[in-house]
Amino acid sequence: MSNNAADNKENKAKAKGPSLRVETAGDIPEEKLQRVVAKFAEINEIEDYRLTIEQKDDLIGGFIIYFQGVRFDYSVKGQLGRIGSFIKRTRSFDAPVVDSKESKAAYTEEEFPSSKVKEDLEKALEQFPESHKISLDNLEIFGMADDEFDKRVMDAFLFQEHRDEVGKVSSISDGVASVTGLRNCMLNELISFASGATGIAMNLEKSKVGVVLLTGEDTVVESMSCKRTMTTCSVPVGMGLLGRVVDALGHPIDGKGVIRYTEERPVESPAPTIIERAPVDTPLFTGITAIDALTPIGRGQRELIIGDRQTGKTSIALDTIINQKNEDVICVYVPIGQKMANIVATAGLLEKRGAMDYTVIVAASASESAAMQYIAPFSACAIAEKFMYDYHKDVLIVYDDLSKHAQAYRAISLLLRRPPGREAYPGDVFYLHSRLLERSAKLSEELGGGSITALPIVETQGNDISAYIPTNVISITDGQIYLSPELFFSGQRPAVNVGLSVSRVGGAAQTKAIKKVAGPLRISLAQAREMASFSQFGSDLDENTQLQIKRGVVLNEVLKQERFSPLTMAAEVILLYTATTDKLNFLATEDITEFYLAFLGDIRLRHPNIYEELSIGQVLTDEIKAEIDSAYDEFKEVFIAEHEEYVEDY
């Protein structure tokens, strides 16, 4: 054993008290620094401490004391960091609140002049609390007399709190860091690492904390220091996000520059209470006849879209977003675990259709970490809540899809060594989705009457809607739209299975006009399906049975709809009234679509008053029926003359 090693061992044996570690920028004489540490030990009643002094040039000036997992920061670098955080929290830029139909891509220099920014920063610095300012960074203090020096040091330690609870990374694997030393860490608290990486504390154990990394996953290594931020994860919110594509933390990823915002909201927040809610009674039209008539969606409702892959689930959600163009509804679309190429294509489609002006896309692609996919829907909900609570807007949010979200959460939970349950999902995956979807609501008039309508999407495997995640989300939501692969591949698109689809809000979210024409629709479809099963036996069918089968064929053709071609409420009423009154029975099956599209175009051109009366009054009166009948008779004569060879014998 060398002499130096023996000396170190002897020194450690002599000093059995607690350890104090000091990092200094090198601008303070060691004698003065030891006096400062002695005063610190006196105030905190520390005896027989072991002192270690290290020089860190990046501190700029001042020093940092580490004691029992807490960092007391009196450095210039720390002061600059506190000023930056304070200004970020208290920024007071007056962002213009403009109508949601206008473009929000970026604010101009006139709206955010440089002089105004400088003025706001100076004002923020004036408000910076005295308790956060350091007084030991001025070299003049170290030339003072001992009595004055001791007094200044005592004041600094007693009245200036710059303490951080710090820990150390004991292990890191697959984006999950095991951290020791954070004794008072809170659940879901944001943890900051020395490399600039951030993570969320999701496992609180007796001797360590499991931190799931959100950013800088590759920069975190063992023995790296980290600290508590005393805050939960937050995202930027406001009108500046409209028309943008952002990641799960609100950072722009569309190449359109920075996003101007004045406020952040925590990604996790309590759902509105029962007293704060109002009944769902205002329809949110999807523009898809089969859904608006049979499984209507109301503003503030949660309607699940469920089905196997490649059955048109995303198409229904995008149709609904496109249909909100003139409805004063803000949309938030959350693709989870999709290819980035698909997300870019979706953004391009919405841009082409003019829907990005009122839409925010919060993307967590398949290449992102499981933590980012996990946090994305909560971030999107926080963005939507800003529009609902503060701007009193109606918001539509689409989670596409919660199956991949649950898989990301399962991956995180297994890495955190949480015990797996049914189908290897953790036991709290139900609570995960319920606390997310419960934040969708229609607010009472006292709170401004805004709403969040949620359309969660769940993918099933082999038509199995009794699997774990589908059953969970079905029990949380207010109904489901079930898409059947058999219907999809047979050409019935959208492939809505009328028997398994339901809306628990029902007629309360329909206009009187839609309710009147949709009443006999479900019964007619059920009767036609039953009669069609008898016709397979090849027996002779009476006239009434043939009529019911023909009626079912007509209704199925009417409920077919091309992608991205939503219909207005008035067009749906005219179409369903015509179909349910057997006015299309004379047509061959292949001509039904051509006839009703031409008929709707004819009414729009020659009888625009019918559309106007239905749109304004939203009631199908006898007078409007008579006008539709008259227009139908005129158009039918022309159609038969032009298509005589295709019309069935009637």
Side-chain angles (χ1 to χ4, degrees):
M1 181 182 293
S2 66
N3 292 334
N4 290 337
D7 292 342
N8 289 337
K9 186 174 182 181
E10 185 179 352
N11 290 336
K12 287 182 179 180
K14 289 180 179 177
K16 295 182 179 180
S19 173
L20 281 175
R21 183 165 67 90
V22 178
E23 292 180 353
T24 175
D27 57 337
I28 306 173
E30 186 172 338
E31 179 188 352
K32 292 289 186 183
L33 191 59
Q34 289 179 350
R35 289 176 62 85
V36 169
V37 174
K39 283 295 176 186
F40 175 85
E42 179 184 337
I43 292 171
N44 291 279
E45 299 179 352
I46 305 171
E47 297 180 357
D48 298 330
Y49 59 85
R50 292 172 292 168
L51 177 61
T52 305
I53 299 177
E54 299 177 9
Q55 184 165 332
K56 297 281 186 179
D57 295 333
D58 63 344
L59 297 183
I60 305 174
F63 58 90
I64 300 174
I65 300 176
Y66 292 88
F67 172 63
Q68 291 186 345
V70 180
R71 179 174 66 181
F72 298 83
D73 191 346
Y74 297 94
S75 67
V76 175
K77 180 182 178 181
Q79 165 116 329
L80 294 175
R82 288 190 292 275
I83 291 174
S85 299
F86 177 78
I87 292 174
K88 185 178 179 182
R89 288 196 310 271
T90 60
R91 71 172 86 197
S92 58
F93 300 129
D94 297 322
V97 178
V98 287
D99 188 80
S100 63
K101 296 177 183 176
E102 299 177 9
S103 176
K104 317 295 183 313
Y107 294 122
T108 63
E109 173 65 19
E110 287 74 19
E111 293 167 325
F112 279 91
S114 302
S115 58
K116 178 67 168 62
V117 173
K118 183 179 179 182
E119 180 184 332
D120 287 336
L121 293 178
E122 290 175 349
K123 188 185 299 183
L125 283 173
E126 291 175 3
Q127 298 170 350
F128 190 64
E130 286 292 331
S131 63
H132 282 53
K133 295 178 181 177
I134 57 173
S135 59
L136 298 179
D137 61 333
N138 190 342
L139 291 177
E140 293 179 3
I141 190 174
F142 298 104
M144 293 180 177
D146 288 348
D147 292 343
E148 180 63 19
F149 174 77
D150 291 346
K151 181 178 182 303
R152 293 286 297 273
V153 171
M154 185 71 76
D155 290 344
F157 286 146
L158 288 178
F159 301 111
Q160 298 169 10
E161 298 185 0
H162 322 303
R163 62 184 67 190
D164 294 315
E165 188 173 340
V166 296
K168 183 182 291 187
V169 178
S170 60
S171 65
I172 174 76
S173 175
D174 296 317
V176 175
S178 182
V179 176
T180 58
L182 302 181
R183 299 181 181 179
N184 301 309
C185 184
M186 302 179 292
L187 188 65
N188 289 332
E189 184 176 352
L190 208 60
I191 305 299
S192 176
F193 292 83
S195 65
T198 56
I200 300 177
M202 292 186 63
N203 255 29
L204 304 183
E205 301 178 27
K206 187 174 182 180
S207 59
K208 62 181 180 179
V209 175
V211 180
V212 178
L213 297 177
L214 293 174
T215 61
E217 181 179 334
D218 298 332
T219 64
V220 178
V221 295
E222 287 188 19
S223 301
M224 179 178 284
S225 64
C226 60
K227 69 172 184 175
R228 295 177 58 198
T229 62
M230 310 295 180
T231 61
T232 57
C233 185
S234 301
V235 289
V237 294
M239 286 292 182
L241 288 163
L242 292 181
R244 303 302 299 271
V245 182
V246 299
D247 66 10
L249 297 178
H251 303 145
I253 56 174
D254 53 6
K256 295 182 180 178
V258 299
I259 294 174
R260 299 288 188 181
Y261 65 94
T262 60
E263 185 183 344
E264 292 184 343
R265 282 185 70 92
V267 298
E268 297 263 15
S269 62
T273 63
I274 294 175
I275 302 300
E276 295 171 340
R277 297 174 185 249
V280 176
D281 56 7
T282 307
L284 185 137
F285 289 110
T286 65
I288 300 170
T289 309
I291 295 174
D292 291 338
L294 298 171
T295 54
I297 300 172
R299 299 189 182 188
Q301 187 177 344
R302 301 155 300 175
E303 185 79 1
L304 172 65
I305 302 174
I306 185 170
D308 281 11
R309 66 187 302 271
Q310 300 295 323
T311 52
K313 301 185 296 298
T314 299
S315 296
I316 286 178
L318 296 181
D319 269 342
T320 307
I321 291 175
I322 292 169
N323 197 51
Q324 308 310 311
K325 188 168 186 178
N326 299 311
E327 299 294 329
D328 196 26
V329 174
I330 291 174
C331 302
V332 182
Y333 178 62
V334 196
I336 306 168
Q338 297 184 20
K339 294 179 182 177
M340 185 54 78
N342 293 345
I343 297 173
V344 171
T346 299
L349 171 71
L350 295 177
E351 188 84 49
K352 182 180 177 182
R353 301 278 175 168
M356 281 303 290
D357 288 344
Y358 53 86
T359 302
V360 184
I361 297 180
V362 182
S365 68
S367 60
E368 296 273 11
S369 65
M372 293 291 272
Q373 294 181 43
Y374 157 73
I375 209 74
F378 294 97
S379 301
C381 195
I383 291 170
E385 283 176 332
K386 172 66 176 179
F387 296 124
M388 176 178 72
Y389 284 114
D390 294 349
Y391 298 130
H392 313 302
K393 294 283 189 181
D394 292 315
V395 186
L396 169 68
I397 184 166
V398 178
Y399 303 109
D400 188 10
D401 63 73
L402 291 188
S403 300
K404 291 188 177 68
H405 182 238
Q407 289 164 13
Y409 184 63
R410 174 171 63 184
I412 292 171
S413 299
L414 293 176
L415 288 170
L416 290 169
R417 300 190 180 279
R418 293 181 180 178
R422 178 177 166 186
E423 297 179 25
Y425 288 103
D428 63 339
V429 73
F430 181 94
Y431 174 60
L432 176 80
H433 287 155
S434 64
R435 76 174 187 263
L436 171 67
L437 294 171
E438 282 296 329
R439 291 161 71 177
S440 302
K442 182 179 180 184
L443 296 182
S444 62
E445 291 298 325
E446 290 77 10
L447 294 177
S451 69
I452 293 179
T453 307
L455 293 182
I457 295 176
V458 164
E459 181 182 300
T460 54
Q461 303 288 334
N463 239 359
D464 183 15
I465 60 172
S466 63
Y468 187 39
I469 300 304
T471 52
N472 280 354
V473 184
I474 284 173
S475 64
I476 295 167
T477 50
D478 307 313
Q480 68 273 352
I481 298 167
Y482 177 68
L483 303 181
S484 168
E486 291 80 10
L487 291 175
F488 184 85
F489 294 119
S490 67
Q492 185 71 35
R493 302 175 185 177
V496 178
N497 186 315
V498 178
L500 293 177
S501 300
V502 65
S503 172
R504 298 190 181 99
V505 174
Q510 283 180 311
T511 62
K512 291 182 179 179
I514 285 279
K515 194 184 298 186
K516 192 166 187 177
V517 294
L521 188 59
R522 192 182 291 269
I523 296 173
S524 298
L525 285 169
Q527 288 176 341
R529 193 163 53 244
E530 185 179 354
M531 293 302 173
S533 63
F534 284 112
S535 66
Q536 297 176 19
F537 299 109
S539 58
D540 292 335
L541 302 175
D542 60 31
E543 187 177 342
N544 185 49
T545 302
Q546 289 178 355
L547 176 63
Q548 287 183 335
I549 292 174
K550 179 63 179 180
R551 189 179 292 156
V553 170
V554 169
L555 292 177
N556 279 324
E557 288 298 315
V558 162
L559 294 179
K560 290 181 181 178
Q561 205 164 327
E562 291 292 327
R563 295 175 66 198
F564 315 129
S565 56
L567 295 176
T568 63
M569 185 274 294
E572 291 177 351
V573 172
I574 295 169
L575 176 58
L576 291 174
Y577 170 72
T578 308
T580 53
T581 52
D582 297 335
K583 287 182 168 57
L584 304 181
N585 288 9
F586 73 96
L587 291 162
T589 303
E590 59 270 16
D591 286 333
I592 293 173
T593 302
E594 180 186 352
F595 179 89
Y596 80 69
L597 289 176
F599 178 50
L600 292 176
D602 182 72
I603 291 183
R604 188 179 291 107
L605 184 65
R606 299 174 57 205
H607 306 277
N609 59 302
I610 296 178
Y611 274 92
E612 189 176 345
E613 290 169 6
L614 283 172
S615 300
I616 296 174
Q618 299 188 341
V619 178
L620 184 62
T621 61
D622 292 337
E623 291 78 10
I624 296 177
K625 286 182 182 179
E627 291 181 29
I628 296 174
D629 291 340
S630 175
Y632 166 80
D633 292 335
E634 294 175 14
F635 180 78
K636 181 180 176 182
E637 289 182 13
V638 176
F639 187 86
I640 290 176
E642 295 177 354
H643 303 76
E644 191 171 352
E645 66 275 18
Y646 300 112
V647 178
E648 291 185 347
D649 188 18
Y650 65 95

